[in-house]
């Protein structure tokens, strides 16, 4: 076995590899860019070598720099993780030439699976089932048209050099074929420098089922069962699970054996994944990923095996730790990928600092009930340079139902402030009827849009009470003295009463010697840092409230609500020019019009609420006066800078 390896990657996968290496007593060398000097993966390794600038092209993707780092530190092998150089045959080859073990398949196997049509020809010879289609060398448009007509419509034209969904065209009927072919070839030559295509029967409701395989240098190859990764968005996996729901033992064995045949046909070594698309009982080879995949933990959870340990053993020349007959499935596992992105804005990637980051209680064994693989810590940044994945939540249960319950619980205890994330979306997805009943196919997200993107609903009183409690607690902290004397509100019979505007909601807090009231209901508050425990009347309320400037992030009952705070007391006496803008601060949607046109309002009165970037923004009166005219109504979309209303100062 190796005594020292270099991990040519960053983020959670670098941390993941380091953790197994440590357990096996193998020293680790991290590499890092200017953007990653203080990152978790560097701290997880014994040594670290600086590569260069933040851009991956100048650091993580520079083979010479990685090889030089391995030589300088005396690492005997390089683990490439996934992405970056993991499926680069030139890098695998360069490692061999440099006398360093590449922890992955031989360059020849990477190359054999790289070109689609070549891979399909090899798979055909190995009797691996293929989608009916054409993948020949003759690329004349007339022949391709004839083949498409023979296969029968709909067909899919795929760039031979493509992958991961790039360079595909669906064609519904013969008359449309010629134009689609031309456009596909144009895209292929631009994207891949190669305009060869293949044609397949187009399956309209497929599932993505992939089989984990492992091969050693001694001719043994086994399958570690399947993962269902059908829940995707734009070819980006969102939820993965093992085993695949509804898989019969016979079909599992057939797919497993086909995957092993595929691996053997290209002289595979190490960890690999054979992707199939499946419709009904049929399954067809799609492509092979010649690396350890992001979703490998669900296979670890159901087999109890550490796949990184297997990779290291096999790369060191050992035999596979287990035979096929010794491998079994126990229970069910799900993985959810937590990304810095904004589902409400078309999943636009987000960047920023993780000002507040909490994961659910977890352990890091391969078969933990809840496991979290992450490469970031509180205070770290998600930058534009790399993949915006924050963490993977992996759960295991006795059955799928228990795994689902654990996942929704785990997501409900994942708290992130500082950037938009998909946590709420994932929780709705896991709890959706389609996913929980395992009605899986690659169109699941699109088909269940209404359930997954609910109209912003009324904010519950519990959330508003938590927000109000946090606002008052912050004042106490700032005042640092007796809260009773620090406030400058309106007192009636020794009761202090004030209004707070929280997003589109106005709440009233009253307190005096007899205790506090929230909108007239008795309220008691205790808190430990950002964690609050309230009694709202008879209702116990627990939650976490984190400020981001004047935005409150209220975590309650598994979901976060963001509320813009407008406190009339805090704003009293402000200069007119700071009072309120009557234009949209950013593109968004009008939520509510709050004042009547023509009726006099006081300076600071909330006039209109809009929603933008998941947050509510309140537009207030810049001075005493009247709204002469609202220029939009609730539900309208407005662009940034759009004038929202006409205001006549008194
Ligand atoms: C297909 C298909 C339907 N019919 N091939 C997309 C990525 C690439 N790996 C293969 N892909 C597909 N190939 C035929 N003949 C549908 C897809 C597909 C898909 C496959 C797996 C997971 C998600 C997908 C989303 C859209 C399309």
């Amino acid at each position: 076995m190796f005594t020292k390896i270099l991990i040519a990657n960053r983020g959670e996968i670098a941390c993941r590899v380091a953790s197994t290496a440590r357990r096996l007593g193998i020293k680790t060398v991290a590499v890092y860019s200017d953007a990653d000097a203080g990152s978790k993966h560097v701290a997880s390794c014994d040594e670290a070598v600086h590569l260069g600038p933040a851009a991956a092209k100048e650091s993580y993707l520079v083979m010479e720099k990685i090889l030089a780092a391995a030589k300088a530190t005396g690492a005997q092998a390089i683990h490439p993780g996934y992405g970056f150089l993991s499926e680069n045959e030139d890098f695998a080859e360069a490692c061999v030439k440099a006398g360093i073990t590449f922890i992955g398949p031989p360059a020849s196997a990477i190359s054999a699976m790289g070109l689609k049509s070549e891979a399909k020809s090899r798979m055909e010879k190995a009797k691996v089932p293929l989608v009916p289609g054409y993948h020949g060398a003759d690329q004349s448009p007339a022949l391709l048209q004839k083949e498409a007509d023979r296969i029968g419509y709909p067909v899919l034209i795929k760039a031979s050099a493509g992958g991961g969904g790039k360079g595909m065209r669906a064609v519904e009927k013969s008359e449309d074929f010629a134009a689609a072919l031309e456009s596909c070839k144009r895209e292929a030559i631009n994207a891949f420098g190669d305009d060869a295509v293949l044609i397949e029967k187009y399956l309209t409701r497929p599932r993505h089922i992939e089989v984990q395989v492992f091969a050693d240098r001694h001719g043994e190859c086994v399958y570690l069962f399947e993962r269902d990764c059908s829940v995707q968005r734009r070819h980006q996996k969102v939820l993965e699970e093992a085993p695949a729901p509804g898989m019969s033992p016979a079909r599992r064995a057939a797919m497993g054996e086909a995957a092993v045949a595929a691996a053997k046909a290209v002289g595979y070594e190490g960890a690999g994944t054979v992707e199939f698309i499946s419709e009904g009982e049929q399954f067809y080879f799609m492509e092979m990923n010649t690396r350890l995949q992001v979703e490998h933990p669900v296979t670890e959870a159901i087999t109890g095996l550490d796949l990184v340990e297997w990779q290291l053993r096999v790369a060191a020349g050992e035999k596979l730790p287990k035979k096929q007959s010794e491998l079994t499935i126990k229970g069910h596992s799900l993985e959810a990928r937590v990304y810095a992105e904004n589902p409400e804005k078309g999943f636009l990637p987000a960047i920023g600092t993780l000002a507040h980051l909490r994961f659910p209680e977890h352990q890091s064994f391969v078969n933990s009930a809840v496991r979290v693989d992450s490469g970031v810590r509180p205070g770290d940044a998600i930058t534009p340079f790399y993949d915006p994945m924050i963490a993977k939540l992996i759960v295991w249960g006795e059955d799928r139902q228990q795994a689902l319950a654990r996942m929704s619980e785990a997501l409900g205890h994942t708290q992130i402030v500082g950037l938009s994330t998909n946590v709420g979306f994932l929780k709705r997805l896991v709890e959706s009827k389609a996913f929980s009943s395992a009605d899986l196919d690659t169109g699941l997200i699109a088909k269940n849009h209404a359930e997954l993107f609910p109209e912003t609903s009324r904010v519950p009183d519990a959330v508003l009470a938590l927000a109000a409690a946090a606002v008052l607690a912050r004042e106490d902290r700032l005042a640092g003295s007796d809260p009773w004397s620090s406030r400058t509100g309106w007192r009636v019979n020794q009761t202090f009463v004030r209004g707070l505007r929280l997003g589109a909601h106005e709440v009233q807090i009253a307190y005096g010697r007899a205790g506090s009231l929230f909108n007239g209901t008795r309220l008691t508050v205790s808190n430990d840092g950002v964690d609050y425990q309230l009694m709202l009347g008879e209702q116990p309320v627990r939650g976490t409230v984190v400020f981001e400037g004047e935005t409150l992030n209220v975590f309650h009952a598994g979901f976060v609500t963001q509320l813009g705070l407008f406190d009339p007391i805090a704003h009293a006496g402000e200069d007119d020019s700071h009072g309120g803008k009557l234009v949209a601060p950013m593109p968004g949607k009008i939520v509510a019009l709050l004042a009547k046109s023509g009726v006099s309002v006081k300076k600071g009165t909330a006039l209109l609420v809009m929603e933008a970037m998941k947050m509510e923004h309140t537009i207030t009166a810049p001075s005493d006066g009247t709204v002469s005219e609202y220029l939009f109504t609730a539900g309208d979309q407005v662009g940034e800078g759009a004038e929202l209303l006409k205001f006549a100062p008194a």
Side-chain angles (χ1 to χ4, degrees), residues 131 156 158 164-165 168 200-203 206 208 232 235 275 277 286-287 442:
V131 190
L156 200 55
K158 294 183 176 178
M168 303 199 311
E200 289 177 358
K201 178 87 190 164
Y202 181 34
L203 310 181
H208 170 128
Q232 308 198 355
H235 307 294
E275 279 186 24
I277 53 172
M286 279 282 107
E287 49 193 75
T442 54

Side-chain angles (χ1 to χ4, degrees), residues 297-624:
V298 296
T299 298
E300 297 187 319
I302 61 156
T303 59
L305 302 170
D306 181 331
L307 299 198
V308 174
E309 176 179 348
W310 277 45
Q311 285 191 295
L312 293 169
R313 293 198 180 287
V314 165
E318 292 183 24
K319 289 190 165 174
L320 286 175
K322 282 180 190 285
K323 295 201 236 334
Q324 190 66 55
S325 58
E326 296 169 318
L327 296 166
T328 52
I329 296 177
K330 183 162 183 265
H332 200 95
S333 179
L334 299 171
E335 175 179 280
R337 300 186 185 192
V338 175
Y339 281 103
E341 64 183 11
N342 190 339
E344 279 74 27
K345 272 196 161 181
F347 294 88
L348 197 70
I351 52 170
T353 298
L354 299 158
H356 173 83
L357 175 67
R358 278 185 184 166
F359 292 124
E361 252 182 69
H362 62 277
Q363 293 185 299
S364 350
F365 307 120
V366 290
N367 52 357
S368 307
V370 180
R371 164 177 164 187
V372 178
D373 281 15
S374 174
V376 292
R377 301 166 293 193
D380 286 351
I382 300 296
T383 69
F385 301 111
Y386 315 112
D387 184 86
M389 189 164 74
I390 299 169
K392 306 187 303 205
L393 304 187
I394 303 107
V395 299
W396 179 91
E398 296 286 346
D399 53 22
R400 190 170 192 267
Q401 197 189 337
Q402 190 180 55
L404 280 169
R406 284 185 173 156
M407 181 58 88
S408 91
E409 188 71 12
L411 287 162
H413 286 94
T414 301
Q415 299 183 340
I416 301 171
V417 172
L419 34 70
S420 305
T421 77
N422 63 344
V423 172
F425 169 76
L426 287 170
K427 190 163 155 69
R428 285 193 294 276
L429 188 57
V430 166
E431 292 169 1
S432 71
K433 194 159 170 292
F435 187 75
S436 59
S437 65
D439 182 14
L440 305 177
D441 71 73
T442 54
L444 187 139
I445 293 176
K447 276 186 280 192
N448 294 278
H449 198 270
E451 186 177 359
L452 299 175
F453 297 89
E455 285 295 304
T456 29
S457 51
R458 237 201 80 75
V459 178
D461 270 356
V463 168
L464 297 174
L466 283 163
V471 170
L472 300 182
R474 181 173 70 163
E475 279 177 15
D476 290 350
R477 274 201 310 282
L478 294 176
S481 62
D482 171 23
W484 180 246
S485 61
S486 69
R487 294 187 178 109
T488 51
W490 170 43
R491 282 165 207 199
V492 183
N493 296 330
Q494 290 193 310
T495 301
F496 177 93
V497 181
R498 68 193 281 187
L500 280 181
R501 183 158 280 286
L502 298 163
H505 303 259
E506 174 92 41
V507 302
Q508 196 183 63
I509 307 290
Y511 41 91
R513 306 214 186 283
S516 308
L517 296 174
F518 168 87
N519 287 344
T521 304
R522 173 173 283 283
L523 174 71
T524 62
V525 178
S526 65
N527 75 299
D528 176 4
V530 292
D531 296 317
Y532 287 79
Q533 268 189 296
L534 318 180
M535 281 303 294
L536 182 58
E538 299 296 302
Q539 184 196 357
V541 175
R542 287 203 304 165
T544 302
V545 187
V546 181
F547 281 91
E548 258 183 308
E550 291 304 288
T551 300
L552 290 132
N553 293 267
V554 184
F555 295 93
H556 173 68
F559 287 95
V560 66
T561 307
Q562 291 187 308
L563 297 165
L565 169 66
F566 181 77
D567 180 350
I569 291 176
H571 286 256
E574 269 182 10
D575 189 62
D576 276 6
S577 59
H578 295 198
K581 288 202 189 97
L582 304 181
V583 296
M586 54 192 85
K589 194 168 97 178
I590 305 297
V591 174
L593 309 179
L594 300 169
K596 278 213 172 79
S597 306
V599 174
S600 301
V601 294
K602 290 270 174 223
K603 171 183 165 172
T605 304
L607 302 177
L608 174 151
V609 179
M610 64 175 290
E611 187 192 36
M613 300 186 69
K614 262 170 108 178
M615 269 177 47
E616 290 189 337
H617 301 269
T618 305
I619 308 297
T620 59
S623 63
D624 292 358

